[in-house]
């Protein structure tokens, strides 16, 4: 099975010497939903930004669908889509214009972009809002718009940073269904979350991060060994 994300010995050191990510290695294969969990400051967002090429790193390597994110940056980005934890589409564009811009960047044909836009806008309740300027959107609406834009080119790797924060229950339900559907079609998903119940029910595999290091990894059943993921997380991330 093809590896859609491969991280080898990733290291990121911030000014002052803090190691946000410390020798992290993991892989996400086609068809997998990989949940990345850890306390605030554990290094999740730093890792995700490095994967998506919006933050440089100090050591190690990252490959997306076989493409090195440094040496083959453009090709790596063509194969993935990224939803940041603070979605900020261009406020001077309408939602429809933002989606169209994204589709243009990824070379999505008119027929495909129209069908996908209509489908996902209906799914996330955004049909009546795409004609409005995104500057007037609420956080939840911006998040839904960014999701539609991320999905319009059917990425090989979908990277999401806390995707369920700010979504209403119905949108959260549909997002989980879309994530499963994408993976059934051969894509892979790498996402961070604080919602451990979601990780337990949704993920093929889970990685627990503490102080920039992977301290546990496996299926929720393997990690839990009869316990809830929440219990394991609290035990594994406890100080000392």
């Amino acid at each position: 099975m093809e590896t859609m994300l491969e991280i080898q010995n990733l290291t990121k050191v911030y000014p002052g010497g803090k190691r946000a990510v410390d020798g992290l290695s993991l892989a996400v294969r086609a068809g997998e939903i990989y949940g990345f969990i850890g306390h605030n400051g554990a290094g999740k967002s730093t890792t995700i930004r490095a994967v998506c090429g919006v933050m440089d790193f100090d050591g190690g390597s990252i490959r997306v669908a076989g493409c090195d994110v440094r040496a083959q940056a453009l090709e790596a980005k063509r194969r993935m889509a990224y939803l940041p934890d603070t979605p900020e589409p261009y406020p001077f564009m309408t939602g429809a214009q933002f989606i169209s811009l994204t589709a243009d960047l990824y070379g999505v044909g008119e027929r495909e972009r129209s069908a996908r836009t209509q489908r996902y806008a209906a799914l996330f309740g955004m049909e009546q809002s795409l004609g409005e300027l995104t500057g007037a959107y609420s956080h939840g609406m911006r998040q839904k718009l960014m999701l539609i834009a991320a999905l319009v080119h059917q990425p090989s790797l979908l990277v999401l940073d806390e995707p369920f924060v700010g979504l209403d229950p119905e949108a959260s339900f549909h997002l989980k269904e879309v994530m499963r559907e994408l993976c059934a079609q051969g894509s892979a998903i790498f996402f961070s979350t604080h919602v451990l119940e979601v990780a337990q029910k949704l993920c093929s595999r889970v990685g627990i991060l503490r102080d920039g290091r992977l301290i546990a990894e496996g299926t929720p059943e393997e990690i839990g060994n009869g316990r809830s993921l929440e219990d394991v997380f609290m035990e594994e991330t406890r100080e000392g």
Side-chain angles (χ1 to χ4, degrees):
M1 194 172 291
E2 185 179 0
T3 299
M4 292 301 186
L5 173 62
E6 183 178 19
I7 300 174
Q8 289 286 341
N9 297 315
L10 179 65
T11 300
K12 173 65 181 179
V13 182
Y14 283 120
K18 174 177 171 54
R19 283 182 172 261
V21 185
D22 190 4
L24 175 67
S25 295
L26 60 84
V28 185
R29 295 178 291 273
E32 285 191 321
I33 300 177
Y34 190 107
F36 202 40
I37 62 179
H39 287 304
N40 290 335
K44 303 186 304 300
S45 290
T46 298
T47 300
I48 284 175
R49 289 173 186 144
V51 166
C52 296
V54 297
M55 175 182 285
D56 199 10
F57 48 94
D58 300 293
S61 65
I62 304 171
R63 300 183 75 85
V64 173
C67 299
D68 186 282
V69 299
R70 279 176 162 166
Q72 301 164 284
L74 187 57
E75 287 305 310
K77 288 179 180 177
R78 284 185 194 277
R79 288 163 167 76
M80 76 173 106
Y82 168 47
L83 177 70
D85 56 346
T86 53
E88 295 178 354
Y90 299 121
F92 53 83
M93 283 185 166
T94 66
Q97 288 171 334
F98 183 79
I99 294 168
S100 185
L101 172 65
T102 305
D104 285 343
L105 290 172
Y106 285 95
V108 181
E110 289 293 337
R111 181 177 298 178
E112 291 86 354
R113 78 173 65 182
S114 177
R116 291 168 187 167
T117 298
Q118 288 178 24
R119 184 196 169 200
Y120 293 123
L123 204 60
F124 293 116
M126 290 289 289
E127 292 171 294
Q128 305 304 314
S129 305
L130 293 185
E132 300 172 11
L133 291 175
T134 67
Y137 281 11
S138 66
H139 175 87
M141 291 169 70
R142 291 196 302 272
Q143 191 149 342
K144 291 174 184 178
L145 175 68
M146 296 288 278
L147 277 169
I148 297 168
L151 294 166
V152 78
H153 68 100
Q154 301 289 282
S156 297
L157 176 69
L158 180 59
V159 182
L160 310 168
D161 197 354
E162 295 291 344
F164 297 100
V165 174
L167 288 185
D168 55 75
E170 184 176 0
S172 294
F173 172 82
H174 289 307
L175 175 55
K176 293 173 206 171
E177 292 299 300
V178 168
M179 290 167 75
R180 292 188 181 102
E181 178 185 285
L182 270 180
C183 287
Q185 295 170 355
S187 296
I189 294 171
F190 181 61
F191 80 105
S192 68
T193 184
H194 284 110
V195 188
L196 299 183
E197 185 179 0
V198 167
Q200 176 113 27
K201 293 179 178 178
L202 184 63
C203 294
S204 314
R205 287 191 300 134
V206 170
I208 299 178
L209 201 66
R210 182 178 68 197
D211 298 327
R213 297 179 181 177
L214 198 65
I215 57 171
E217 185 185 45
T219 67
E221 293 76 20
E222 289 169 346
I223 291 179
N225 194 24
R227 296 175 296 163
S228 73
L229 197 54
E230 183 177 39
D231 289 342
V232 176
F233 176 79
M234 294 304 294
E235 180 180 315
E236 293 284 356
T237 58
R238 191 173 294 126
E239 292 292 333

